[in-house]
Amino acid sequence: MNFIFFSTSDNFNKFHRKREVDAITNSLEHGRKAILFNKPIFFLKKLLKPKERLINDNQKLIVKNLYIFLPIKLAIKNIFLRYLFIDLPVKLQINKAKVALKRVEDTCYHVYYKPDQYLYLPKSNAIYINYDNYKMDENYFFSQSEHFDDTLRKCIKNSFLSLFSSYKLLHELNVKLNAQSYYYPNAIDRTLIDLTKNYDDNEQFNIEKIVIGFVGQIDNSFDEMLLEEIAIKFKESSIILIGPVSNLLVLKLIEKYENVKSIGFVEYERLGEYINSFDVGICPYKNNHFNKYRNPLKIYEYFSYGKPAVTVECDIDLSLSGVLSISNSYTEFLNNINKEHHSNSLEKSMIRKQIASQNCWDNRAAFLFELIEKNND
């Protein structure tokens, strides 16, 4: 079998599903390669920018740019414009790229991640991976389109496989569509799992002075009011934020409170050293319809180093409900930080690591191949 992936990022190395793509391609049989197209680029940008080299450390993946003749936001509103300036050039580039794949006569699976991609990408053997509640995503240009619901319905209904990181969203849409859909939660790269450093069960706990950490995008879905409550309650402790900060209110809190520290973007290869310094990992999201369907990847990242986690209520995998603290109020969240830190132990740390080891992208890749085989029978 062959795979072609269609990224939602214009840079594969910054694509947040990169490790998923790597795991799937690394599972291909010897000699096989896959193709990944970066997010479509308006061709004038190519003319204005100097030629850039596409850097990729995966020897089994060919990374290419995908060029279009009109910005998607404009062309997608009109069927004729979309066909002429997006559909046709995209089809030609994909067909040309397929020549690089061995045994091109074999089934080729087209993997994409957002509903608007369904409109202009190949629909044969499509594998649609839905990782967010896109309709409530204010940063997704297509979420407010009058065609969103119909496009999402067709995308799910007509795909060879539809995979959802949100169990709630899967259930709600499957009830309506009765589609060939499966639960496919987020995962981590196996290299992140720390197998050498064990938690010291004899450590003397200091409830006042702990390191509370967060890993991820700090955007408008991040609850700045909860962050301030944590900063005040744990004023003698350190709150470490790992990831780019676009939430302006969070930036103000970083300036206001000495115990709130922003590290900024950290390369994935270095993420472990920061997580290892945490006493408790947190998921402080706002209570809204977007976060209601969120399946926090960072829980597995915290667990990879055996760290306890405290989260607001969101779409947590049911199997995790007994090994982390889910909070329904600010007060409960603050109390749970203390509880998780105080009740930590070597046994709990090892259980978390075991859970993390079972939720890596190579596990998801194996599951995907099982689904393909099952649905081809």
Side-chain angles (χ1 to χ4, degrees):
M1 66 184 73
N2 294 315
F3 283 88
I4 300 181
F5 301 87
F6 298 92
S7 173
T8 57
S9 169
D10 56 10
N11 184 331
F12 173 57
N13 290 310
K14 293 183 180 179
F15 183 34
H16 74 288
R17 310 291 292 198
K18 177 184 185 299
R19 284 152 193 90
E20 173 190 35
V21 174
D22 286 339
I24 294 172
T25 54
N26 287 331
S27 300
L28 294 173
E29 62 185 67
H30 180 71
R32 289 277 190 172
K33 287 193 174 186
I35 296 171
L36 177 134
F37 283 102
N38 285 320
K39 180 180 177 181
I41 303 172
F42 182 36
F43 82 105
L44 285 180
K45 288 186 177 181
K46 178 185 178 182
L47 298 178
L48 296 174
K49 290 175 63 178
K51 187 173 181 179
E52 58 179 335
R53 180 169 170 264
L54 298 178
I55 301 173
N56 168 36
D57 56 5
N58 185 341
Q59 299 301 312
K60 300 185 77 170
L61 184 68
I62 301 167
V63 177
K64 291 180 171 291
N65 283 328
L66 192 61
Y67 297 102
I68 53 179
F69 294 111
L70 200 65
I72 287 181
K73 290 182 182 180
L74 296 177
I76 211 164
K77 297 176 182 179
N78 182 284
I79 295 177
F80 175 74
L81 292 178
R82 193 184 76 216
Y83 176 77
L84 194 61
F85 296 114
I86 297 183
D87 294 11
L88 278 180
V90 164
K91 183 177 180 180
L92 288 171
Q93 290 170 84
I94 292 172
N95 288 340
K96 182 180 178 182
K98 281 184 178 179
V99 176
L101 297 175
K102 295 190 176 182
R103 285 177 277 182
V104 293
E105 70 279 1
D106 286 0
T107 302
C108 184
Y109 295 98
H110 303 97
V111 183
Y112 46 89
Y113 298 87
K114 290 199 172 181
D116 70 285
Q117 293 179 302
Y118 172 80
L119 296 172
Y120 57 87
L121 293 177
K123 295 172 179 56
S124 61
N125 299 306
I127 297 176
Y128 171 61
I129 300 178
N130 193 113
Y131 58 79
D132 265 330
N133 182 16
Y134 301 130
K135 190 173 178 64
M136 296 299 171
D137 185 354
E138 60 185 26
N139 296 316
Y140 178 34
F141 81 94
F142 192 60
S143 65
Q144 300 307 311
S145 168
E146 60 182 319
H147 303 295
F148 178 89
D149 289 329
D150 185 55
T151 302
L152 179 61
R153 179 184 62 80
K154 289 177 179 177
C155 179
I156 296 169
K157 190 73 174 176
N158 298 329
S159 292
F160 173 71
L161 291 175
S162 294
L163 308 176
F164 290 82
S165 65
S166 166
Y167 185 81
K168 291 178 183 176
L169 203 58
L170 166 66
H171 177 71
E172 290 176 12
L173 291 172
N174 250 3
V175 167
K176 296 178 182 177
L177 301 175
N178 192 29
Q180 196 76 334
S181 303
Y182 299 88
Y183 181 49
Y184 181 80
N186 288 319
I188 59 173
D189 192 277
R190 191 163 296 281
T191 59
L192 187 62
I193 296 176
D194 171 52
L195 298 176
T196 59
K197 301 182 181 69
N198 289 332
Y199 186 87
D200 183 0
D201 197 34
N202 295 318
E203 178 180 341
Q204 295 299 311
F205 296 101
N206 185 327
I207 302 305
E208 298 302 321
K209 297 182 179 181
I210 61 177
V211 177
I212 302 164
F214 172 83
V215 174
Q217 297 275 347
I218 304 166
D219 52 23
N220 289 331
S221 67
F222 188 98
D223 193 338
E224 63 279 345
M225 293 176 65
L226 177 53
L227 176 63
E228 184 162 27
E229 292 286 334
I230 297 169
I232 294 171
K233 171 73 174 181
F234 298 92
K235 57 185 177 182
E236 300 298 326
S237 303
S238 295
I239 299 126
I240 307 297
L241 306 177
I242 311 292
V245 183
S246 58
N247 185 318
L248 298 180
L249 294 176
V250 171
L251 288 173
K252 291 181 179 179
L253 293 179
I254 293 169
E255 293 179 1
K256 181 177 179 181
Y257 295 97
E258 290 185 1
N259 60 334
V260 180
K261 300 176 175 61
S262 172
I263 306 299
F265 174 77
V266 171
E267 294 289 345
Y268 198 81
E269 292 71 20
R270 294 192 58 214
L271 195 57
E273 21 181 306
Y274 288 94
I275 295 176
N276 192 49
S277 71
F278 295 172
D279 290 299
V280 178
I282 57 172
C283 299
Y285 298 115
K286 290 176 179 173
N287 181 15
N288 57 35
H289 285 292
F290 178 75
N291 289 326
K292 174 185 176 183
Y293 298 92
R294 185 188 286 268
N295 177 245
L297 163 64
K298 52 196 57 53
I299 288 176
Y300 295 128
E301 292 174 336
Y302 301 150
F303 279 13
S304 69
Y305 275 73
K307 303 300 178 178
V310 176
T311 180
V312 297
E313 186 177 6
C314 44
D315 199 2
I316 304 295
D317 192 301
L318 296 177
S319 65
L320 302 180
S321 58
V323 291
L324 80 169
S325 288
I326 301 173
S327 313
N328 294 301
S329 68
Y330 286 1
T331 299
E332 188 175 13
F333 198 101
L334 300 175
N335 290 338
N336 281 335
I337 292 175
N338 265 336
K339 184 192 79 173
E340 285 291 343
H341 177 54
H342 185 66
S343 64
N344 199 11
S345 67
L346 176 61
E347 181 182 3
K348 288 184 176 181
S349 178
M350 296 308 295
I351 290 172
R352 296 184 196 109
K353 288 185 181 184
Q354 182 63 29
I355 291 171
S357 72
Q358 296 168 349
N359 287 275
C360 294
W361 283 122
D362 53 5
N363 300 119
R364 301 291 181 265
F367 177 59
L368 175 61
F369 282 97
E370 287 175 11
L371 289 179
I372 291 173
E373 183 177 354
K374 171 185 173 182
N375 287 280
N376 272 323
D377 289 342

